[in-house]
Amino acid sequence: MNETINKYKEDLEFFDDVMDKYEYIIDLGKKSPLLDEKDKNETNKIKGCQSSVWFVAHKEKDKLFFDTYSDTVIVRGLAFILAQIYSNHSPKEIQSFNREELKILNLDEIISPVRLNGFTSMLNAIYAHAKKEI
Amino acid sequence: MNINTLKNDFPFFKNNKLVYLDSGATAQKPQIVLDSMNEFHKSYCANIHRSAHGLGNKATQEYENARQTVSKFLNAKTKDEIVFTSGATQGINLVAYAYVKEHFKHVIISGLEHHSNIIPWQIIDKSLHVIDFKKDLHVDLEHFESLLKSYPNSFVSLVETSNTFGITHPIKEMIQLARKYGSKVLVDAAQSSVHSAIDVQDLDADFLVLSAHKLYGPTGIGALYIKKDLHEKCKAFQGGGGAIKEVTYEKTVYMPIPYMYEAGTQHIAGAIGFASALEYIRNIGFNLIQKHEQELIAYTNEKLLHVKNLIRYTDTKNATGNISFNIKGIHHYDLGVLLDKQGVQIRVGHHCVQPTMKSLGIKGTVRISFGLYNTKEDIDKFFYALERSIKMLED
């Protein structure tokens, strides 16, 4: 997970201008895979986000994988970053990973305090799912 | 007076280069308002209506002068018709609890109401009836009359100007119609009062609510107008110091309105700042303010014609104070974020009118709202930032 975090940290730090950072996140959002319409349901919807965000997890062998979607492209990009960081890891690895490590991404520079709640809700959903799978 | 130099009256704009197009949420404050509040805290800070000392008398006098200023601003018959509240929302809640709860079964509202003119009626468990709006979002007066016929002697509570779509209801005509069927009427003038003069006697409103912070005044203070004829029918809302004549363990004898509704230490500095803001508006005059705003709206409207994939919800040419729109295929939240990063402050979202949004089948809009300090240069910067944002977001 640290490796993926560092990759995104380097990518984001490459841009001095905040608009360029956003362009990068928007680009990720546009490229992120689409969710099936049937998965965009109330069960998969993350509570606490102002925009609609859906979150689907599946297990392959002993690893968890996450797919996300949002109706806003910026949130879609941010959710994609989170999904990439936590995907392809076992539930135990996710559970033991300290979410404080994400702080080096400086996402609070990019996300408003209100949206930060939504981001925390997404993280909570990932950790809750990992706990359920252990 | 040159309207284009009024920006200099507002210290906010001296400290940054932001383009502020969110006055519908709250307006910036002129120096004169800040000075008047500061002066209270610096020179005569004391409690009102209860002190024997000179400072207390001075504070009481200024507070009551502020009430007189609000009264004049609304052309009320007497200053006793003006209650200071924390804002328009508290004003509506007060009327719901202190008057409507006991006297009415049915409440009629328009289809463009802010949540603050919906929830209070649900809290007191009234039957709520919503007037339809037409395709262009203007009120359907025939439907209004049919509701009045079906529910005579009901309470009618109407926003004068929509906080989201800039539509101004024909409020005088609607009050006259309501009168024919024995209804009492509350007018929510939170958005309209900063754009045109209000005359409660001419309107024949029973209640009217204002928020100072949308009138270039401080937050946390507003006013509720209650027509004198109805004072005896209004019961106590919340008890406390300053609101009573006599208290025993058996009962309380209340002061008359407005004091009955001003229990506890009031936002004295706020009331003083509120009055300064109204004086500031009065000195400029609504003729000049309206001329300036109409120019800004016409200029914005012309520029909107060139925005590709624009979705409008009403005739923006005749908007009052604000314009709402969407861009096809782009989420309003994404636009709000990118505009903010380019130094342009607008509001995106449901604007506290979720039922209206639901009727339109949308989750929110981009709203730009104007203040007297805005200039055509602000509008140009907004459109430059909008175009850049759209380019980044479109597929």
Side-chain angles (χ1 to χ4, degrees):
Chain A
M1 278 174 267
N2 284 106
E3 204 179 308
T4 320
I5 291 172
N6 282 328
K7 176 208 168 296
Y8 283 115
K9 180 180 182 288
E10 275 173 31
D11 284 358
L12 286 164
E13 279 177 357
F14 176 75
F15 305 107
D16 291 331
D17 188 314
V18 71
M19 289 300 278
D20 293 335
K21 283 191 210 287
Y22 270 101
E23 190 125 42
Y24 170 75
I25 291 165
I26 289 166
D27 209 37
L28 290 179
K30 284 178 182 172
K31 286 180 191 158
S32 73
L34 296 176
L35 273 189
D36 276 354
E37 281 306 312
K38 66 173 172 50
D39 288 327
K40 290 185 204 166
N41 55 39
E42 278 306 306
T43 319
N44 293 334
K45 206 168 180 177
I46 295 180
K47 310 282 181 293
C49 293
Q50 279 205 345
S51 41
S52 300
V53 184
W54 292 271
F55 161 90
V56 180
H58 70 276
K59 206 172 178 183
E60 279 178 32
K61 294 181 184 166
D62 63 336
K63 303 275 175 72
L64 286 176
F65 291 84
F66 303 100
D67 290 310
T68 55
Y69 186 80
S70 171
D71 49 0
T72 96
V73 71
I74 292 173
V75 174
R76 213 184 302 157
L78 291 167
F80 178 75
I81 291 176
L82 269 193
Q84 292 301 301
I85 291 169
Y86 283 94
S87 284
N88 202 14
H89 292 281
S90 71
K92 257 194 171 165
E93 281 171 341
I94 293 171
Q95 265 285 295
S96 58
F97 185 74
N98 185 357
R99 61 171 82 185
E100 292 290 308
E101 305 262 3
L102 292 167
K103 281 193 172 161
I104 61 164
L105 290 172
N106 283 329
L107 289 178
D108 49 353
E109 264 180 20
I110 295 170
I111 312 171
S112 69
V114 175
R115 304 287 162 178
L116 213 50
N117 292 340
F119 193 76
T120 308
S121 301
M122 275 191 257
L123 266 179
N124 290 343
I126 290 172
Y127 278 88
H129 194 84
K131 193 178 173 186
K132 208 169 70 181
E133 290 287 339
I134 289 174
Chain B
M1 187 178 291
N2 181 356
I3 195 98
N4 289 314
T5 61
L6 289 179
K7 209 171 213 174
N8 298 332
D9 296 343
F10 293 78
F12 174 83
F13 297 107
K14 288 180 185 160
N15 300 328
N16 62 61
K17 288 185 174 171
L18 294 173
V19 172
Y20 190 77
L21 289 167
D22 198 17
S23 298
T26 198
Q28 298 303 331
K29 326 298 176 199
Q31 186 65 49
I32 195 169
V33 168
L34 308 181
D35 289 346
S36 67
M37 294 173 76
N38 202 19
E39 185 60 21
F40 164 74
H41 285 123
K42 256 180 15 189
S43 309
Y44 58 98
C45 181
N47 213 331
I48 53 169
H49 297 139
R50 36 173 75 66
S51 309
H53 51 71
L55 269 188
N57 291 341
K58 163 80 173 155
T60 301
Q61 195 184 5
E62 292 297 329
Y63 182 81
E64 290 303 321
N65 286 348
R67 196 190 307 278
Q68 183 67 49
T69 304
V70 178
S71 170
K72 268 193 189 166
F73 184 78
L74 296 176
N75 193 32
K77 264 188 197 160
T78 72
K79 78 179 180 77
D80 295 346
E81 293 179 312
I82 306 300
V83 178
F84 281 119
T85 62
S86 66
T89 297
Q90 195 200 19
I92 300 173
N93 277 276
L94 192 160
V95 174
Y97 184 81
Y99 178 67
V100 178
K101 189 178 178 187
E102 198 175 307
H103 299 288
F104 298 88
K105 277 187 184 165
H106 300 277
V107 175
I108 299 174
I109 59 172
S110 84
L112 298 178
E113 299 300 331
H114 191 278
H115 296 162
S116 60
N117 197 17
I118 299 172
I119 303 166
W121 316 119
Q122 292 171 338
I123 291 173
I124 60 166
D125 207 19
K126 296 295 160 189
S127 298
L128 201 56
H129 307 282
V130 184
I131 311 165
D132 291 343
F133 49 73
K134 297 183 205 163
K135 242 186 170 175
D136 61 2
L137 302 190
H138 285 271
V139 66
D140 181 343
L141 289 174
E142 280 178 25
H143 184 239
F144 180 38
E145 185 154 15
S146 75
L147 286 176
L148 291 166
K149 265 184 201 163
S150 304
Y151 309 103
N153 306 311
S154 53
F155 191 78
V156 176
S157 192
L158 301 168
V159 70
E160 185 171 23
T161 296
S162 154
N163 69 318
T164 308
F165 299 102
I167 285 174
T168 297
H169 285 136
I171 205 79
K172 192 173 172 182
E173 195 182 338
M174 292 178 85
I175 292 172
Q176 283 169 351
L177 208 51
R179 287 276 174 266
K180 262 174 64 181
Y181 297 92
S183 295
K184 300 291 181 200
V185 184
L186 179 146
V187 178
D188 172 0
Q191 291 289 332
S192 57
S193 53
V194 71
H195 302 294
S196 57
I198 292 174
D199 182 332
V200 285
Q201 293 188 65
D202 181 53
L203 282 179
D204 192 26
D206 297 299
F207 302 91
L208 185 137
V209 295
L210 298 176
S211 286
H213 72 99
K214 298 193 199 285
L215 285 149
Y216 310 106
T219 54
I221 184 92
L224 162 66
Y225 161 81
I226 306 178
K227 192 191 266 182
K228 189 86 174 176
D229 304 352
L230 296 173
H231 284 201
E232 280 191 14
K233 293 204 164 172
C234 295
K235 65 171 198 173
F237 175 53
Q238 51 186 24
I244 55 90
K245 276 184 182 167
E246 189 188 358
V247 179
T248 64
Y249 287 122
E250 287 73 38
K251 65 167 187 170
T252 295
V253 181
Y254 293 96
M255 294 279 280
I257 292 172
Y259 308 105
M260 180 167 84
Y261 292 138
E262 294 179 5
T265 295
Q266 296 297 292
H267 187 4
I268 307 166
I272 291 164
F274 185 8
S276 289
L278 298 183
E279 287 293 343
Y280 178 76
I281 291 171
R282 193 180 63 82
N283 286 334
I284 296 165
F286 276 115
N287 286 343
L288 197 57
I289 290 172
Q290 278 176 344
K291 187 174 167 280
H292 178 61
E293 286 180 357
Q294 278 160 9
E295 275 174 20
L296 290 181
I297 283 179
Y299 190 66
T300 305
N301 205 50
E302 169 60 29
K303 292 213 152 218
L304 279 173
L305 294 174
H306 305 289
V307 177
K308 273 191 290 179
N309 298 320
L310 185 84
I311 306 169
R312 293 168 193 249
Y313 301 95
T314 186
D315 165 23
T316 50
K317 273 185 286 186
N318 297 314
T320 306
N322 68 69
I323 291 175
S324 250
F325 63 88
N326 269 311
I327 306 291
K328 202 176 167 194
I330 293 178
H331 199 282
H332 51 82
Y333 159 74
D334 290 330
L335 283 173
V337 170
L338 295 183
L339 286 164
D340 172 52
K341 296 301 162 196
Q342 294 170 85
V344 178
Q345 318 295 303
I346 49 110
R347 182 157 168 197
V348 294
H350 55 64
H351 314 295
C352 299
V353 293
Q354 282 183 347
T356 310
M357 294 289 165
K358 200 174 173 191
S359 309
L360 295 170
I362 54 176
K363 286 185 178 160
T365 66
V366 176
R367 181 190 76 176
I368 44 177
S369 53
F370 306 97
L372 52 80
Y373 32 66
N374 288 125
T375 60
K376 285 183 180 172
E377 197 189 344
D378 290 339
I379 311 290
D380 289 341
K381 285 180 183 165
F382 163 76
F383 277 100
Y384 177 81
L386 180 69
E387 287 298 330
R388 188 177 175 195
S389 307
I390 291 172
K391 267 188 198 142
M392 283 171 71
L393 291 164
E394 65 191 358
D395 284 325

